[in-house]
């Protein structure tokens, strides 16, 4: 039986590398479509010789995209940006680039297309990122009506840009921020009055494990009956931002103190932080956090794909401990 061929755009990214490894394990031949194939050479050992091939295909280049999807049995588009930089705007990547991939896949007669969106996708959102994700979904479905859309919450795993970011912050800062819209309110009881600093604990997240996301995609690729739907992917538990930071503290062992930050102050800080080469925070990200990042219901999710979601508490200790304090030399012997 001939091996199936899949083209994965964004294959060298956080989710992409996990997906490529698992596709190769299942016998797929993988075209890893990336902007820099030399930098993506690390993907090759994930399969047998010649099974995983990085090739240059920027989604803004229609000819390169068409060549990348030619003859493929399936296409997966994972390309996305968290902040705008130069020509890589939200519109260019999430809308126009996604439409280019979808149109090329349709023209090439590719049977299956998976498009990565986000739980926050909303054409009426204050966030440009969220609006572009919604517009991208519409553009993909217009070009490839049978496409499968995945909307994950925050995706976590060893190479994530969520828990790792806060872990790095805990190493260099004695405080960790908790954005809140209803904190700093006086609370009075029969015993007296106090100030509720955190309120409800800030925005709510439903982190989903990268391995579960990759498994979900593979299940769709392996079973045509699951394709052509919009899936909301979330983990087994919802966490307030305060609870997320408490997880960071507990898994790193760092004695960081949690500090409530009103959204207004967060917007002010982001004005300057977004000017960094790799922004720590942008004003658009602050706007995005004003809406809970959780499954809204009414759409199928991991359960419908036969997957039991993995809890963050199970995985975080395996990689967040890198941000803990170094043990003194001879500590094990002394113990």
């Amino acid at each position: 039986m001939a091996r199936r061929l899949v083209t994965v755009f964004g294959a060298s990214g956080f989710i992409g590398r996990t997906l490529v490894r698992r596709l190769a394990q299942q016998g797929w031949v993988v075209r890893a479509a990336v902007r820099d194939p030399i930098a993506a050479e690390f993907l090759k050992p994930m399969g047998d010789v010649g099974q995983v091939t990085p090739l240059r295909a920027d989604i803004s280049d229609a000819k390169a995209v068409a060549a990348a999807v030619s003859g493929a049995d399936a296409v997966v588009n994972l390309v996305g940006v968290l902040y705008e930089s130069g020509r890589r705007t939200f519109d260019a990547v999430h809308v126009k680039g996604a439409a280019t991939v979808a149109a090329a896949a349709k023209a090439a007669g590719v049977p299956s297309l998976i498009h990565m969106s986000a739980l926050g996708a909303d054409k009426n959102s204050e966030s440009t990122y969220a609006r572009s994700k919604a517009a991208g979904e519409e553009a993909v479905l217009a070009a490839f009506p049978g496409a499968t859309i995945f909307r994950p919450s925050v995706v976590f795993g060893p190479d994530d840009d969520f828990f790792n970011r806060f872990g790095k912050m805990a190493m260099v800062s004695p405080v960790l921020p908790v954005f809140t819209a209803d904190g700093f309110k006086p609370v009075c009881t029969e015993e007296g009055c106090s100030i509720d600093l955190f309120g409800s604990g800030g925005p709510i997240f439903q982190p989903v494990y990268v391995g579960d996301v990759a498994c979900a995609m593979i299940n769709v690729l392996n079973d045509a009956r699951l394709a052509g739907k919009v899936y909301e992917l979330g983990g087994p538990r919802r966490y307030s931002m305060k609870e997320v930071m408490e997880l960071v503290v507990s898994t790193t062992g760092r004695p960081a103190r949690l500090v409530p930050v009103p959204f207004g102050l967060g917007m002010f800080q982001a004005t300057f932080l977004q000017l960094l080469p790799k922004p720590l925070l942008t004003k658009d990200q602050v706007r995005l956090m004003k809406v809970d990042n959780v499954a809204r219901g009414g759409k199928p999710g991991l359960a419908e794909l036969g997957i039991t979601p993995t809890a963050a508490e199970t995985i975080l200790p395996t990689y967040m401990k890198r941000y803990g304090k170094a043990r003194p030399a001879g500590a094990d012997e002394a113990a």
Side-chain angles (χ1 to χ4, degrees):
M1 181 177 178
R3 282 183 168 182
R4 293 171 295 174
L5 170 64
V6 58
T7 300
V8 180
F9 290 89
S12 61
F14 164 49
I15 298 174
R17 63 190 68 180
T18 300
L19 178 61
V20 168
R21 181 182 296 109
R22 297 195 178 195
L23 284 168
Q25 290 171 349
Q26 290 213 354
W28 286 82
V29 174
V30 183
R31 284 180 186 159
V34 295
R35 289 191 297 160
D36 186 348
I38 301 301
E41 290 285 325
F42 71 91
L43 296 172
K44 286 185 174 182
M46 293 181 180
D48 297 331
V49 176
Q51 187 179 3
V52 179
T53 305
L55 76 161
R56 181 178 287 104
D58 191 309
I59 60 173
S60 65
D61 185 339
K63 290 185 178 180
V65 169
V69 304
S70 177
D73 297 294
V75 171
V76 180
N77 180 20
L78 303 174
V79 181
V81 291
L82 296 175
Y83 58 88
E84 297 180 309
S85 178
R87 293 184 299 173
R88 290 182 69 75
T89 64
F90 292 141
D91 181 68
V93 176
H94 298 160
V95 184
K96 295 177 182 175
T100 296
V101 171
K106 188 66 175 178
V110 177
S112 180
L113 169 66
I114 292 178
H115 173 73
M116 177 65 81
S117 184
L119 267 184
D122 182 356
K123 63 182 180 181
N124 297 315
S125 173
E126 289 185 38
S127 164
T128 306
Y129 170 90
R131 293 198 304 272
S132 72
K133 282 293 188 178
E137 290 185 10
E138 291 183 356
V140 166
L141 292 175
F144 197 117
T148 303
I149 306 292
F150 279 99
R151 295 176 180 167
S153 182
V154 172
V155 183
F156 70 90
D159 300 315
D160 69 50
D161 193 37
F162 187 69
F163 285 106
N164 278 303
R165 176 178 299 196
F166 297 131
K168 293 173 184 176
M169 288 177 62
M171 290 183 68
V172 299
S173 173
V175 300
L176 289 174
V178 175
F179 291 100
T180 175
D182 57 1
F184 300 97
K185 289 186 176 181
V187 177
C188 294
T189 65
E190 294 181 355
E191 299 177 355
C193 295
S194 61
I195 300 297
D196 183 356
L197 296 176
F198 295 96
S200 57
I204 308 298
F205 302 92
Q206 195 175 352
V208 59
Y209 178 47
V210 65
D212 292 341
V213 174
C215 186
M217 293 182 177
I218 290 175
N219 286 358
V220 169
L221 293 177
N222 288 337
D223 188 346
R225 294 171 299 177
L226 300 174
K229 302 176 183 179
V230 177
Y231 292 92
E232 292 187 336
L233 306 185
R237 181 184 164 189
R238 298 180 178 188
Y239 306 82
S240 67
M241 189 172 188
K242 183 173 182 288
E243 291 173 324
V244 166
M245 293 306 182
E246 289 170 344
L247 270 178
V248 172
V249 170
S250 65
T251 54
T252 62
R254 292 279 176 178
R257 183 173 182 175
L258 306 189
V259 176
V261 179
F263 277 107
L265 178 57
M267 289 290 283
F268 177 75
Q269 294 173 330
T271 301
F272 303 99
L273 294 175
Q274 67 185 6
L275 300 177
L276 296 172
K278 185 176 181 181
L280 293 176
L281 183 69
T282 69
K283 294 171 73 173
D284 195 69
Q285 289 169 349
V286 175
R287 296 187 192 100
L288 189 63
M289 283 191 287
K290 291 182 179 180
V291 179
D292 293 341
N293 195 253
V294 298
R296 302 168 186 174
K299 301 289 185 185
L302 292 175
E304 286 75 12
L305 292 167
I307 300 169
T308 301
T310 305
E313 289 86 349
T314 302
I315 303 297
L316 289 180
T318 66
Y319 66 95
M320 291 298 286
K321 62 184 179 181
R322 74 184 83 171
Y323 303 113
K325 292 184 178 180
R327 292 173 60 84
D332 292 334
E333 290 81 354

